[in-house]
Amino acid sequence: METKIFNATTVDQAAALIKAGQLVAFPTETVYGLGADATNVAAVKQVYQAKGRPSDNPLIVHVADVETVERFAKPLSVSAKKLIKAFWPGPLTMIFNLKPNALAPEVTGGLTTAAFRNPNNAATLALIRSAQTPIVGPSANTSGKPSPTLAQHVLHDLDGKIAGILDDGATQVGVESTVLDLSGTQPAILRPGAVTAAQIEAVIGEPVLTEQHHVGATEVPKAPGMKYKHYAPAAQVYIVDHVKDWPAALAWAAKQDVSVGVMATDDVFTTNQLPANCEQFSLGEDVESASRELFAGLRHFDTETEIKDILCQAFENTGLGAAYMNRLNKSAGQTHFSV
């Protein structure tokens, strides 16, 4: 099929495709999502097919208002209402217990819970309202590949596989939303993101579990990114843990008989001589810019077949750095550069 490009002035046309059971990628403040009517089982099945996504990997449901959540979820707790007031619209996804048979198992992975998010993007909120239905929205990429932060990234992976893309330029955050499980006895972060554990705890006044990011091979994950390989380019990524390690890492790169990609902040490039066989991709000045640019850098080198190895800068595993390191560790398969 032809993949059409829409913008903020043609949102209603994109929404008409959603209503008709088609797939339309949409922008959020984090990454681009792949949208389909969350109440249309046939449309949801197409999402898995287009992405090559495992069927037990549940989908996040994107909504334009709290009332939509209340149609499907059991009564929201006081903590949930406080978090909605504090962080919606924004990069916080929350998992709630569902009313019986509220959503199809294709959305929930067969679970009795579902993840909901109210994205902070005007064009996408207009899309949801115009379509008059909540829309599922996993990242709009081939499953396992780096998430898309530009419409062009979506087109690279899914051109001809989906009906359209709502283009709203580059995303602002660059790593997917925080996923907070509120379906159990204690709140637990299943995927770190821009909304941190400390920020959540400050709102609800109780501790949040933070080391809940993985499930076993036979378990069904409650949230994306907990079970399957994610964010990985074709090249092998090596994490450079400390600034002092860069001279040794670049000396190693210089000895390779192929080109090596280097992803780091500007200070690394200004204080180190880049070998002739290395190509640089700037992560900006700090962890905030690095989080925004991480997937773009991985995708940049994924399009250059001569790049077989990528050296990428680590950050402290706190705050937004926890989200950045979660994605980087998965893209590298936990592989760190060592002297």
Side-chain angles (χ1 to χ4, degrees):
M1 69 177 72
E2 178 189 358
T3 300
K4 298 179 180 179
I5 305 298
F6 302 98
N7 57 39
T9 66
T10 52
V11 165
D12 288 345
Q13 296 176 35
L17 292 174
I18 294 285
K19 288 182 179 180
Q22 300 296 308
L23 307 187
V24 176
F26 60 90
T28 74
E29 73 279 28
T30 58
V31 301
Y32 275 74
L34 182 55
D37 181 350
T39 66
N40 183 328
V41 173
V44 172
K45 286 181 177 180
Q46 288 182 56
V47 170
Y48 287 97
Q49 293 167 358
K51 282 177 59 68
R53 182 184 177 96
S55 60
D56 67 345
N57 204 4
L59 304 172
I60 293 173
V61 180
H62 291 68
V63 300
D65 50 55
V66 179
E67 290 72 24
T68 302
V69 178
E70 294 174 331
R71 282 172 47 200
F72 299 98
K74 290 183 177 180
L76 302 179
S77 66
V78 172
S79 290
K81 292 176 180 179
K82 287 180 178 178
L83 291 167
I84 287 170
K85 183 177 181 180
F87 297 113
W88 277 14
L92 178 64
T93 294
M94 287 180 276
I95 296 176
F96 302 123
N97 290 303
L98 292 172
K99 296 173 182 176
N101 303 312
L103 287 169
E106 286 79 5
V107 175
T108 66
L111 300 172
T112 58
T113 59
F116 293 88
R117 170 154 127 76
N118 178 216
N120 189 16
N121 180 278
T124 287
L125 291 175
L127 174 71
I128 299 170
R129 294 188 185 104
S130 181
Q132 298 179 311
T133 182
I135 60 177
V136 297
S139 55
N141 59 330
T142 300
S143 188
K145 288 296 183 181
S147 298
T149 56
L150 291 168
Q152 290 91 329
H153 297 161
V154 181
L155 200 64
H156 177 272
D157 282 16
L158 300 178
D159 188 17
K161 296 181 180 180
I162 63 175
I165 302 169
L166 178 58
D167 186 354
D168 193 41
T171 62
Q172 287 77 50
V173 178
V175 292
E176 297 88 347
S177 61
T178 302
V179 176
L180 179 69
D181 185 6
L182 292 176
S183 66
T185 57
Q186 184 174 358
I189 291 179
L190 305 188
R191 183 179 72 186
V195 178
T196 66
Q199 290 175 309
I200 293 168
E201 289 171 345
V203 170
I204 63 176
E206 63 176 300
V208 174
L209 298 174
T210 58
E211 299 301 323
Q212 314 292 311
H213 306 161
H214 303 283
V215 299
T218 60
E219 297 178 81
V220 176
K222 281 189 174 182
M226 297 182 69
K227 183 175 180 180
Y228 297 98
K229 185 179 181 181
H230 274 69
Y231 322 122
Q236 175 62 54
V237 178
Y238 296 91
I239 302 170
V240 181
D241 291 307
H242 306 288
V243 172
K244 64 180 178 60
D245 297 332
W246 277 106
L250 294 174
W252 169 85
K255 297 176 183 177
Q256 306 309 302
D257 57 5
V258 293
S259 298
V260 176
V262 180
M263 297 173 57
T265 49
D266 294 337
D267 59 324
V268 170
F269 294 125
T270 57
T271 56
N272 293 276
Q273 181 69 38
L274 207 65
N277 68 325
C278 289
E279 180 183 339
Q280 74 179 57
F281 184 94
S282 172
L283 294 176
E285 298 181 352
D286 52 28
V287 68
E288 183 175 338
S289 61
S291 297
R292 190 166 54 247
E293 297 296 336
L294 176 63
F295 291 142
L298 295 174
R299 282 190 165 269
H300 169 74
F301 289 125
D302 218 14
T303 62
E304 301 191 20
T305 55
E306 72 274 11
I307 298 289
K308 303 300 181 185
D309 299 299
I310 300 170
L311 296 170
C312 190
Q313 183 174 344
F315 284 89
E316 187 176 349
N317 195 33
T318 59
L320 182 58
Y324 173 90
M325 290 306 300
N326 172 270
R327 301 337 186 258
L328 180 55
N329 271 301
K330 289 180 178 178
S331 70
Q334 309 288 333
T335 303
H336 295 251
F337 173 80
S338 59
V339 180

